[in-house]
């Protein structure tokens, strides 16, 4: 299994990390991914009209937008020993749009 084979795994099995965590798990290597939702970075804040940002905030489960730190803390958690029994997962970091 190579990284170039992941597109086939994704279309056939639905989880691109399945063969990786099976292959490397015995070596205590975890294979997870992060799927971010709308994350406000400076480019987004500066280029998206405030009215659109307000509409999107009202559609979120929380009345605010995600920030880069939200992604960073998720990755930090996945890289820590706190997640030592989590593998083969794609963590969605987003306030689900209602």
């Amino acid at each position: 299994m190579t990284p170039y084979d992941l597109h086939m795994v994704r279309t056939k099995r639905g989880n691109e990390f399945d063969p990786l965590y099976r292959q490397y798990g015995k070596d205590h290597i975890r294979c997870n991914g992060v799927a971010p939702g709308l994350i406000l970075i400076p480019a987004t804040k500066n280029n998206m009209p405030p009215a659109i940002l307000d509409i999107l905030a009202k559609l979120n489960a929380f009345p605010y937008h995600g920030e880069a730190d939200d992604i960073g803390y998720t990755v930090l958690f996945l890289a820590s020993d706190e997640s030592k029994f989590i593998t083969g997962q794609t963590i969605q970091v987003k306030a689900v749009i209602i």
Side-chain angles (χ1 to χ4, degrees), residues 5 27 37 46 55 64 83 86-87:
D5 297 327
D27 297 321
N46 296 335
I55 290 170
Y64 50 86
S83 68
I86 298 173
T87 191

Side-chain angles (χ1 to χ4, degrees), residues 38-93:
L38 175 64
I39 301 298
L40 289 188
I41 59 174
T44 309
K45 290 179 186 177
N46 296 335
N47 294 309
M48 193 172 284
I52 300 296
L53 291 174
D54 290 341
I55 290 170
L56 292 173
K58 290 177 184 174
L59 294 174
N60 281 344
F62 301 122
Y64 50 86
H65 299 288
E67 297 180 355
D69 284 349
D70 298 318
I71 303 301
Y73 289 133
T74 303
V75 172
L76 182 64
F77 167 72
L78 289 172
S80 74
D81 287 339
E82 305 297 324
S83 68
K84 69 181 180 181
F85 203 64
I86 298 173
T87 191
Q89 302 301 310
T90 300
I91 308 298
Q92 295 185 13
V93 181

Side-chain angles (χ1 to χ4, degrees), residues 12-24:
K12 297 195 183 289
R13 294 189 197 157
N15 183 347
E16 65 268 30
F17 299 107
D18 188 66
L20 293 176
Y21 79 82
R22 290 177 188 273
Q23 182 175 350
Y24 296 111

